[in-house]
Amino acid sequence: MGQHGRDHVTAGQETPLGEEESFRRAIERLREAGWTCEPPTSAEDDVPSVLRTAPETVIRWASSFSLLSSSDETVWFLSRDDYSSSGAVSMFAWNEWEQLSIEAATTDDEALAVSRFWERHLPILLSVRNGYEYLAVRDDGAVVHGTEPEFEEAVVVFPHFEDLLRYITARPARRDDVIDGLLFDRQHP
């Protein structure tokens, strides 16, 4: 995929200052595409329990805004507040797609398989634009994309979360129909 002029930084080795700049650039690129961003609402040091096992970069990303959504409000990155039980009220819970899959399971074994999948995948972006879909960070750091009706049949779209941020910042250097469809309003199958 290439690092688009950032050869001195490899995934997982960014400094917090470089990371902040990476967040700023990605958010600015999304704003240029019509996205809305609101600053974080709290400076709490207490990380919501669901985020405690997430990569530090993902925790800091989710803590860098309170709202980050497409202009039509059908695609949004989950904020730290979204993962908190005391967070803002939303039409969709951060784990909405997991809940739907568990409800659709017809056996205990299916429900267990769904739960095991989601124990290894943390949703970071939800979309209702073209049906239900998501981006999640897998426990090995890879970013995956999944869609309804089989949310758990996810496909790796980036080897690391930082690669997603670089993609957003570098766009349109690389075209990916799925990611462009989610982030930049391009239609995808």
Side-chain angles (χ1 to χ4, degrees):
M1 172 166 149
Q3 296 187 353
H4 310 290
R6 289 173 184 70
D7 293 328
H8 66 282
V9 175
T10 58
Q13 293 182 339
E14 291 194 44
T15 63
L17 183 58
E19 189 177 83
E20 284 180 29
E21 180 64 14
S22 176
F23 294 171
R24 188 193 65 72
R25 288 180 181 180
I27 289 170
E28 182 57 35
R29 183 57 119 165
L30 291 170
R31 280 183 169 160
E32 289 170 6
W35 282 55
T36 300
C37 180
E38 294 178 6
T41 56
S42 78
E44 289 181 26
D45 290 331
D46 193 28
V47 175
S49 61
V50 69
L51 283 178
R52 290 190 183 130
T53 58
E56 286 295 319
T57 303
V58 173
I59 295 170
R60 287 190 290 270
W61 167 257
S63 300
S64 70
F65 53 85
S66 63
L67 173 75
L68 185 56
S69 68
S70 62
S71 59
D72 61 2
E73 298 180 351
T74 59
V75 182
W76 62 99
F77 279 95
L78 295 165
S79 73
R80 182 182 184 138
D81 293 342
D82 291 319
Y83 297 105
S84 171
S85 59
S86 63
V89 176
S90 173
M91 284 187 70
F92 296 95
W94 67 269
N95 61 345
E96 190 77 27
W97 305 167
E98 174 185 7
Q99 293 174 24
L100 289 173
S101 290
I102 289 172
E103 287 174 16
T106 57
T107 68
D108 289 345
D109 286 344
E110 285 179 7
L112 183 59
V114 167
S115 293
R116 284 187 178 144
F117 174 87
W118 290 105
E119 286 171 3
R120 296 190 58 223
H121 297 80
L122 176 70
I124 57 169
L125 175 142
L126 301 180
S127 175
V128 296
R129 179 179 292 144
N130 296 311
Y132 294 162
E133 56 188 313
Y134 68 92
L135 294 179
V137 176
R138 199 167 58 192
D139 59 2
D140 65 358
V143 176
V144 301
H145 171 256
T147 63
E148 66 177 327
E150 299 296 332
F151 293 113
E152 294 74 29
E153 292 180 7
V155 175
V156 173
V157 290
F158 295 100
H160 303 282
F161 176 74
E162 294 83 357
D163 295 322
L164 169 62
L165 296 179
R166 283 197 260 313
Y167 177 84
I168 294 169
T169 301
R171 189 189 171 269
R174 175 178 175 241
R175 295 257 182 224
D176 180 293
D177 290 340
V178 170
I179 302 303
D180 279 357
L182 284 169
L183 302 177
F184 302 108
D185 292 335
R186 299 229 191 306
Q187 297 299 318
H188 65 275

